[in-house]
Amino acid sequence: GIQVEQSPPDLILQEGANSTLRCNFSDSVNNLQWFHQNPWGQLINLFYIPSGTKQNGRLSATTVATERYSLLYISSSQTTDSGVYFCAVPMDSSYKLIFGSGTRLLVRP
Amino acid sequence: DTAVSQTPKYLVTQMGNDKSIKCEQNLGHDTMYWYKQDSKKFLKIMFSYNNKELIINETVPNRFSPKSPDKAHLNLHINSLELGDSAVYFCASSQANRGQLFFGSGTQLSVL
């Protein structure tokens, strides 16, 4: 089945810094989603981005489907950005989303 | 209005008991899911229903039984709870297999 790898596994930033999170996947996909799990455990869908670039405030995401990777950019990080970021892709164009193991981000004030 | 709501938020119970978690979505989606998140934060799909039909049934013990009375509701019943069942269980919904996935707030199950 499809493999999803995220890097780095852990990241510590000072407030105001920028960062890039990466998601590599082993097979072609028609769907890629980024999620943020905040310290209270809530899972929020950030982006649905099968290809191209999208922006939402200080966050943006780019998926290069032909090269099988996606990047999540966080600019001017804030303490509220702390948590775990997951990317997920479907297995075999099915309903089954496979999640990466996540990037744990800590933003210090 | 909460889009995907699940109850209870916390569930503490003894080994051997039977418990249920309820989930409802008001997004008009046709597909609902149960995911399990373990202590290392790894998320894995357990079940999925599309228009009340079971379409994904991962390798999950028979003690876990999902039920979807209509496409807005998906419940999870667990029989004979074991220590290893302790985890956070998330309900989610999407529109078919290409839509954005939206999660409920999770149910933290602790089996003592």
Side-chain angles (χ1 to χ4, degrees), chain A residues 30-31 33 35 37-38 40-48 84 86 90 93-101 104, chain B residues 9 30-31 33 35 37 40-43 45 48 50 55-56 58 90 94 96-105:
Chain A
N30 58 14
N31 169 357
Q33 302 186 42
F35 298 85
Q37 187 166 34
N38 65 25
W40 296 271
Q42 287 182 304
L43 274 160
I44 308 298
N45 192 305
L46 298 175
F47 293 102
Y48 174 91
V84 184
F86 294 100
S93 300
S94 73
Y95 289 81
K96 186 173 165 181
L97 273 187
I98 304 300
F99 281 75
S101 54
R104 287 158 182 74
Chain B
K9 186 161 178 61
D30 60 4
T31 307
Y33 310 79
Y35 278 82
Q37 187 173 44
K40 295 184 179 178
K41 301 285 191 184
F42 185 67
L43 274 160
I45 192 167
S48 177
N50 174 256
I55 54 170
I56 295 174
E58 288 295 285
F90 285 96
S94 71
N97 63 336
R98 291 184 177 233
Q100 265 186 296
L101 190 66
F102 292 91
F103 282 94
S105 57

Side-chain angles (χ1 to χ4, degrees), chain A residues 2 7 18 20 35 37 53 60 67 73 82 89 96 100 102 104 106:
Chain A
I2 193 166
S7 59
N18 303 329
T20 301
F35 298 85
Q37 187 166 34
T53 297
S60 66
E67 297 187 21
Y73 304 95
S82 296
V89 298
K96 186 173 165 181
R104 287 158 182 74
L106 174 63

Side-chain angles (χ1 to χ4, degrees), chain A residues 68-82:
Chain A
R68 300 181 185 170
Y69 72 90
S70 183
L71 302 174
L72 179 70
Y73 304 95
I74 304 174
S75 64
S76 304
S77 57
Q78 300 177 358
T79 55
T80 51
D81 295 331
S82 296

Side-chain angles (χ1 to χ4, degrees), chain B residues 56-95:
Chain B
I56 295 174
N57 186 353
E58 288 295 285
T59 310
V60 175
N62 290 339
R63 300 181 293 102
F64 290 78
S65 53
K67 281 190 173 52
S68 181
D70 56 60
K71 69 177 189 178
H73 295 84
L74 179 62
N75 303 322
L76 182 65
H77 188 76
I78 316 169
N79 290 327
S80 304
L81 278 155
E82 300 178 357
L83 293 176
D85 297 332
S86 296
V88 181
Y89 293 84
F90 285 96
C91 176
S93 73
S94 71
Q95 184 59 28

